[in-house]
Amino acid sequence: DQQVKQNSPSLSVQEGRISILNCDYTNSMFDYFLWYKKYPAEGPTFLISISSIKDKNEDGRFTVFLNKSAKHLSLHIVPSQPGDSAVYFCAASSSRWNKLVFGAGTILRVKS
Amino acid sequence: GAGVSQSPSNKVTEKGKDVELRCDPISGHTALYWYRQRLGQGLEFLIYFQGNSAPDKSGLPSDRFSAERTGESVSTLTIQRTQQEDSAVYLCASSLTDRGNYEQYFGPGTRLTVT
């Protein structure tokens, strides 16, 4: 039972354009959401997060949007850079838990 | 400062053998987590340690899996009688807080291949 779904296995974007990565979740108990980036042979690194009391959080080129009614969040990267090419994981948690529940990841390729 | 380190980086073992994976968390981080990532899948929670509290073992897939942590330092994940389906990247993470919904810092992982 996949509680966090990233339906796009991969995404290809031209340098300078916007990258939009999507994530859907099913568990209403989730109240905190995170995005991680992973390069080959490295562990995931934290990118940005959002609490369920907000609908948007911005950090430089990265913005996360949360639509609670649709149980959907997205990560926007603008402008996209070749160094952004990586696997992006969406993760969710609840204040009652100790674990993160991850999606399967989306491979982002930014072409120069 | 030093990040989370894991050893070995790669491990190839024969089916039925036991393996031990090690994690050194970031100094001062009280919480430690183990995850695994099978090919083409997301990260799967295995176990969580927080200080001297009883660990949350709810993610361990079978009784062949066990983990220990000494105080707030090193942790070892042991898989007994390995099976081919145990092949995965095993990732360790640590965090400053005892709440799993805060940022976790991951190590590079141990790639386990069971032949």
Side-chain angles (χ1 to χ4, degrees), chain B residues 7-90:
Chain B
S7 61
S9 55
N10 281 283
K11 177 72 176 177
V12 180
T13 189
E14 291 180 355
K15 176 182 173 181
K17 301 277 190 180
D18 297 352
V19 295
E20 195 171 274
L21 312 179
R22 177 187 168 106
C23 171
D24 284 88
I26 293 173
S27 178
H29 280 195
T30 57
L32 186 147
Y33 313 80
W34 283 96
Y35 294 86
R36 75 175 174 184
Q37 184 184 14
R38 290 169 160 166
L39 190 64
Q41 297 184 22
L43 280 70
E44 175 189 3
F45 168 79
L46 297 177
I47 189 169
Y48 158 75
F49 294 91
Q50 169 57 36
N52 294 321
S53 302
D56 176 356
K57 303 180 182 179
S58 61
L60 294 179
S62 78
D63 58 8
R64 296 186 295 104
F65 288 72
S66 63
E68 293 183 351
R69 185 181 187 195
T70 307
E72 293 183 354
S73 60
V74 172
S75 175
T76 55
L77 176 69
T78 302
I79 309 173
Q80 296 178 311
R81 306 181 303 281
T82 51
Q83 304 294 313
Q84 287 185 329
E85 63 261 28
D86 299 334
S87 296
V89 176
Y90 288 82

Side-chain angles (χ1 to χ4, degrees), chain A residues 1-6 23-25 30 32-38 43-47 87-93 97-106, chain B residues 33-37 40-46 91-93 100 102-106:
Chain A
D1 175 28
Q2 279 193 297
Q3 299 184 67
V4 178
K5 297 180 183 179
Q6 294 178 254
C23 178
D24 296 292
Y25 62 95
F30 290 145
Y32 200 81
F33 304 89
L34 307 90
W35 284 93
Y36 279 81
K37 180 167 78 170
K38 186 181 185 300
T45 55
F46 169 74
L47 195 55
V87 179
Y88 288 78
F89 290 99
C90 172
S93 187
W97 297 348
N98 303 315
K99 64 183 180 183
L100 295 176
V101 180
F102 283 84
T106 296
Chain B
Y33 313 80
W34 283 96
Y35 294 86
R36 75 175 174 184
Q37 184 184 14
Q41 297 184 22
L43 280 70
E44 175 189 3
F45 168 79
L46 297 177
L91 290 152
C92 175
Y102 285 82
E103 295 88 83
Q104 297 176 15
Y105 297 82
F106 284 83

